[in-house]
């Protein structure tokens, strides 16, 4: 049976950020905390040991696997800051063109620092993700 690794925890978001070793990355984590909180309207929660997530949704696949996940989030990792966005691919692609210096994977966007990106474009990605995921997985 598949075991979900990234679940919402009761760990302190502030305590987690305070333990980020790199001072600049810690400062950026606080900036992102403010931006994501303000943009989503959801409180920050820890998901697993290192992801700060906002909002949540419940999913169930045809295979029967189901669980809960954060709508959007970020993680100030050692190498880069991971931003978690899952939105319509066409919209995502258009927004990423204007984001600034980043690399990306399927639903992750990696940045070195907040000053490398256009915060308004990131806010648009946050809004698009929340809307997309709430439409894909409406609350019960």
């Amino acid at each position: 049976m598949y075991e979900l690794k990234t679940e919402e925890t009761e760990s302190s978001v502030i305590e987690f950020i305070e333990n980020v070793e790199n001072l600049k990355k810690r400062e950026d984590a606080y900036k992102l905390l403010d931006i994501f909180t303000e943009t989503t309207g959801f409180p920050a929660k820890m998901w697993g040991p290192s992801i700060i997530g906002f909002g949540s949704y419940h999913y169930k696949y045809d295979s029967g696997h189901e669980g809960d996940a954060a709508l959007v989030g970020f993680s100030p990792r050692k190498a880069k800051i991971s931003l978690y966005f899952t939105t319509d691919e066409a919209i995502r692609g258009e927004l990423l063109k204007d984001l600034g210096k980043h690399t990306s994977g399927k639903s992750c966007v990696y940045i070195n620092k907040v000053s490398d990106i256009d915060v308004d474009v990131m806010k648009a990605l946050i809004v698009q993700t929340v809307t997309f995921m709430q439409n894909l997985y409406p609350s019960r």
Side-chain angles (χ1 to χ4, degrees):
M1 180 81 174
Y2 176 83
E3 186 178 328
L4 191 61
K5 294 182 183 112
T6 307
E7 295 182 282
E8 185 178 328
T9 72
E10 294 299 318
S11 298
S12 166
V13 170
I14 300 302
E15 190 174 302
F16 170 71
I17 293 174
E18 282 299 314
N19 285 309
V20 172
E21 287 183 29
N22 181 297
L23 176 62
K24 293 289 186 193
K25 204 158 273 175
R26 189 177 328 131
E27 290 170 353
D28 274 351
Y30 278 116
K31 286 178 192 171
L32 291 168
L33 178 62
D34 289 343
I35 292 165
F36 274 75
T37 300
E38 178 184 301
T39 305
T40 66
F42 294 113
K45 302 279 187 173
M46 290 302 302
W47 286 79
S50 62
I51 296 173
I52 300 170
F54 301 82
S56 66
Y57 65 95
H58 184 80
Y59 61 87
K60 185 171 183 177
Y61 299 138
D62 291 339
S63 66
H65 172 74
E66 64 182 301
D68 297 299
L71 290 169
V72 291
F74 70 91
S75 182
R77 305 214 183 257
K78 284 191 185 212
K80 294 189 181 264
I81 297 170
S82 300
L83 307 172
Y84 299 100
F85 304 122
T86 304
T87 189
D88 177 89
E89 285 299 315
I91 294 170
R92 183 177 192 267
E94 285 301 310
L95 287 169
L96 287 179
K97 286 182 195 175
D98 297 324
L99 182 62
K101 186 177 175 185
H102 74 280
T103 56
S104 63
K106 183 155 177 70
S107 54
C108 289
V109 174
Y110 307 99
I111 63 171
N112 290 318
K113 53 190 183 279
V114 173
S115 62
D116 284 343
I117 62 168
D118 183 322
V119 171
D120 288 332
V121 173
M122 181 179 64
K123 287 179 181 179
L125 281 160
I126 293 168
V127 169
Q128 287 294 327
T129 296
V130 170
T131 302
F132 181 78
M133 295 308 291
Q134 287 178 329
N135 286 334
L136 191 60
Y137 298 101
S139 28
R140 299 180 251 170

